[in-house]
Each structure stands twice: as structure tokens, then as C-alpha cells.
Amino acid sequence: MHTTVSVENLTKKFDSFTAVDSIEFSVGRGEIFGFLGPNGAGKSTTIKMLCGILVPTGGRGQVNGYDILTEQEKIKSTIGYMSQKFSLYDDLTVKENLTFFGSIYGLEGTHLSTRIAYAMEMAEIGNRGNEVVKNLPMGIKQRLALGSAILHDPPVLFLDEPTSGVDPIMRRNFWELIYNFSEAGKTIFITTHYMEEAEHCDRIALIIAGKIIALDTPGQLKNALEYEVYSFTVENFIEMFEYIQSLDFVSETAIFGSDIHILCEKGFPLKKELGTRMKMKGVGNYHIEKILPTLEDVFVTHARKHGV
């Protein structure tokens, strides 16, 4: 597989604070690579180093064959970058925004017009090309921001939490666009804190406090979980959650809607032991079953191990 992004011991410090701590990974052509982690984990800082916006404190890396330490301007000309905050100009029209960003990338004439038409079609702008951007719905704004990032048809896209603040339907539509780019051979590097989004990635790096704590496919991460997972349904589940959390044979607990996910050591007879405890408490109306782990189970488990 052709590698388009690679880093070794990549580090970024701000005075005494280490935002990114000696991380290593590589991303192949056409791959959708996800960075999953909470706010402040180092996701945006990593993207900004890869895009040539921030200079690393240590380590090395390449994007499209260009060095992230010495060839930042070359990197910027061959990538698409969509920042976490909406990046277009609210007081300009759709076409004015796209014309401006296209000119930054050196596009002109018929080529620029063709790419603007493509971006507008992709964003489903319709006949709103002369409308001021601030009047557009958030979902269309996000697609338009993506359109501006791919005007110059870059081989690598860096998307920093691109669906933040977008409703689930718009989010699904956005991911259809990402799939299309991947199928066309573009490399997608995307950060998110949405667990369901991370499921769509080919591989995921879990990042906490600047460190990558796990990296693999979603399926492999779940298969490698060292615990068995059970779903427990009961009335007064908030009160029961606190009780179950205190049991010495329970490794982790998490609330999923009105269910409680319980993690315990593999091979432990959880149904029997928990049934005994429920009987002792006079609780008869409950349901427990073994289930496949979710990415959230994986993430919570790794986070707890690292003191989060």
C-alpha cells in the first residue's frame, strides 16, 4: 500500500505542556484514517502539524512525500484542509467564497469555473450561488467548506471534526461524500469524538492526553478487548448503576441510553453472580445478556487504564 502520511515520534510542546507526545502512525492511499479522542487530546494539534500550520517540537513526518519540518508550503499546496471552526466568509456569497479560495490555490479561467461548479453541485447549493453564506443552513455550510477544501483536487484531505454541530441526517450525507473521495483514491484523515463516526473509518487511532493508546481497525479494536460485555436493563437504572459500579467483580460500567453496559473478566459467571445480588436486593424485574463490545466500551476501557 502506498503511504501518503507518516510520522515518527511526532511531538508538540507549548512551554511546559505537551500537547502531542511522541506519536507514530502511517496512512495509506485511499484510506479513511480516524483520530478518536476527547477535546484537548491533541487531535487538532496533530492535524495542524501535518498541514504545515504548526512546527513540531520533535520527531519527523511526511505528507505526500514532503517533509513536515522543511517543506510546509509544498504540503499546503497538495492537501485539502477543513478546520474545526467554519472557515468560509459569512459576508461573501457562495460563489465569491469559492472564487477566492480557488484563486489561492492558483486556479483560474475555465478550470476554476469547472471546479466551482463541481463544488456547488457536491454541496447541493442549487440556485443559491449568489446567496450570502451566513444565510445558509449549517449542513450546507459544512459541505460548502468541504467543497472549498477540494477545489484544487488534492490527494489528501485533513478534516478536523467536520460534522461538529451537524444533525445526524446531514452527518450521514457528509460521510457519503467522504466514502466517494476514498473510492476515488484520496486519503482521508479525520478527527472526531463521535463513536458512531469512528466506525466508518478503515482504521482508528485512540488518542488521550497527546498519546496514541491504541490503533487498529474498529473490528480488531473490539475483538482485542480483554473483557466480556453485558447489557443490563432494570428499573431505577441510575440507582442500580451506582450499586453495580461498586461490585468487586465488575471492571467497568457505562450508561447506554436506559441500559447499563457491564465489563468483567473473560470467563467470569456474571449472569449468575449478578442474579444472586439482585435476589438479595429483592430486584426481580431485570434483563441481562452478553453483547458484542462497542467502540465506546473500547475507548472507556483504554481511557480508564490511562487515568482519564
Side-chain angles (χ1 to χ4, degrees):
M1 179 174 62
H2 177 70
T3 299
T4 55
V5 179
S6 65
V7 299
E8 296 178 15
N9 298 317
L10 187 64
T11 301
K12 182 61 181 179
K13 295 183 178 181
F14 297 97
D15 296 325
S16 61
F17 174 69
T18 302
V20 176
D21 192 356
S22 300
I23 62 174
E24 297 190 9
F25 61 84
S26 61
V27 186
R29 181 179 181 273
E31 185 175 17
I32 302 175
F33 185 84
F35 245 34
L36 176 64
N39 293 332
K43 304 188 302 296
S44 296
T45 301
T46 299
I47 272 194
K48 288 176 180 177
M49 286 190 285
L50 295 175
C51 292
I53 300 171
L54 288 176
V55 178
T57 305
R60 60 183 181 178
Q62 290 188 338
V63 175
N64 288 326
Y66 297 120
D67 192 289
I68 64 173
L69 291 170
T70 61
E71 299 177 295
Q72 292 97 334
E73 293 306 314
K74 290 181 180 179
I75 288 174
K76 291 175 184 177
S77 67
T78 62
I79 63 168
Y81 171 57
M82 184 174 168
S83 65
Q84 190 172 353
K85 296 181 179 179
F86 184 64
S87 56
L88 301 185
Y89 293 99
D90 272 346
D91 55 345
L92 297 182
T93 67
V94 170
K95 288 183 179 178
E96 287 171 341
N97 266 287
L98 292 174
T99 300
F100 172 72
F101 282 100
S103 65
I104 288 177
Y105 292 125
L107 306 182
E108 57 185 9
T110 304
H111 188 200
L112 175 58
S113 300
T114 300
R115 293 302 297 175
I116 288 176
Y118 168 76
M120 290 178 60
E121 181 181 0
M122 184 201 71
E124 299 178 6
I125 294 296
N127 60 357
R128 305 174 78 169
N130 293 319
E131 190 167 338
V132 176
V133 165
K134 66 182 177 183
N135 296 331
L136 298 174
M138 178 55 72
I140 293 180
K141 283 184 178 182
Q142 293 294 83
R143 291 203 300 271
L144 183 60
L146 177 61
S148 70
I150 59 149
L151 280 170
H152 55 311
D153 197 24
V156 180
L157 295 178
F158 290 97
L159 309 177
D160 193 5
E161 299 199 12
T163 62
S164 180
V166 176
D167 66 65
I169 294 176
M170 287 294 187
R171 192 178 302 148
R172 180 175 295 180
N173 293 340
F174 197 94
W175 269 94
E176 288 178 1
L177 294 174
I178 293 175
Y179 286 143
N180 291 338
F181 291 141
S182 175
E183 289 175 0
K186 296 187 184 300
T187 301
I188 316 294
F189 188 109
I190 184 167
T191 71
T192 183
H193 56 260
Y194 294 116
M195 300 293 168
E196 69 274 17
E197 277 198 340
E199 293 273 9
H200 299 310
C201 298
D202 296 314
R203 285 189 302 145
I204 310 166
L206 306 184
I207 182 168
I208 293 178
K211 291 181 177 290
I212 292 179
I213 58 174
L215 196 165
D216 214 324
T217 66
Q220 285 294 89
L221 286 172
K222 288 184 282 190
N223 290 338
L225 190 66
E226 59 190 38
Y227 301 105
E228 291 178 337
V229 183
Y230 289 82
S231 176
F232 182 69
T233 307
V234 66
E235 293 181 4
N236 302 321
F237 71 94
I238 296 295
E239 178 184 337
M240 292 304 301
F241 174 77
E242 295 177 356
Y243 170 70
I244 291 170
Q245 205 172 28
S246 70
L247 297 174
D248 57 5
F249 53 81
V250 171
S251 301
E252 293 288 346
T253 53
I255 293 177
F256 280 69
S258 59
D259 294 351
I260 302 171
H261 278 202
I262 304 171
L263 279 67
C264 67
E265 297 292 338
K266 289 185 176 180
F268 184 82
L270 183 74
K271 281 189 176 183
K272 178 182 177 182
E273 291 295 331
L274 195 57
T276 300
R277 301 301 175 103
M278 291 299 102
K279 186 175 181 180
M280 290 169 58
K281 291 182 70 68
V283 177
N285 188 19
Y286 69 88
H287 177 73
I288 182 169
E289 65 175 324
K290 186 177 178 180
I291 61 172
L292 294 174
T294 65
L295 268 183
E296 188 162 339
D297 293 322
V298 173
F299 187 81
V300 168
T301 301
H302 281 285
R304 294 281 192 270
K305 282 184 177 179
H306 289 79
V308 178

